[in-house]
Amino acid sequence: MNIFKRSTDKPSSLPEPVSGKICGEWVEMLTLLLLQERDMYGFEITQLCRERSGGRIRILEGSIYPVLYRLEEEGSIKGYEKEIMTKRGVLRKRTLYTLLPAGRERLVELKKRFDETVEGINRIRAASTLIE
């Protein structure tokens, strides 16, 4: 499943965006990180990931919802419906998600695994004799 797609509107000086082969747990981690701040709906999560990563990480809107449903099913988040005013001044019903205590615990676990993975990658890079 392709969770990420390349940004076509990025300046040429930016590195290539993260590919679709990134670990699915990273999407969970990013989702839980954002939900620490406040309750959000799926599209909002995808937009914040794109904005804050400088266009490097683009989670497809249709791919975030299976992650949200799975996190809700396991008790990490809870969804609830709320009417939200759109930029065009129209009230729309949205499902917002809130982070639960189990989600905070899951986030700690995911961040630890992510940090360990990055450390492992950095060790491999440091030991490599290839050109940087």
Side-chain angles (χ1 to χ4, degrees), residues 55-69:
R56 290 175 181 89
I57 299 174
R58 294 186 70 185
I59 302 171
L60 298 175
E61 187 180 349
S63 298
I64 191 68
Y65 292 100
V67 172
L68 291 168
Y69 300 151

Side-chain angles (χ1 to χ4, degrees), residues 115-128:
D115 291 342
E116 289 170 351
T117 301
V118 170
E119 181 182 343
I121 291 169
N122 286 335
R123 286 176 182 230
I124 293 168
R125 288 182 65 205
S128 175

Side-chain angles (χ1 to χ4, degrees), residues 69-131:
Y69 300 151
R70 186 172 59 253
L71 288 169
E72 186 171 28
E73 202 170 273
E74 70 185 29
S76 293
I77 63 175
K78 178 155 181 58
Y80 63 93
E81 289 190 354
K82 182 176 180 181
E83 285 193 340
I84 305 285
M85 184 69 67
T86 68
K87 291 178 184 176
R88 295 183 179 144
V90 178
L91 275 178
R92 298 270 175 152
K93 192 180 286 188
R94 300 277 189 237
T95 301
L96 276 77
Y97 295 89
T98 190
L99 186 63
L100 299 175
R104 292 185 191 285
E105 291 174 19
R106 175 82 173 135
L107 179 56
V108 169
E109 174 188 318
L110 291 170
K111 284 168 58 175
K112 181 179 181 213
R113 278 206 291 246
F114 176 81
D115 291 342
E116 289 170 351
T117 301
V118 170
E119 181 182 343
I121 291 169
N122 286 335
R123 286 176 182 230
I124 293 168
R125 288 182 65 205
S128 175
T129 57
L130 295 176
I131 298 172

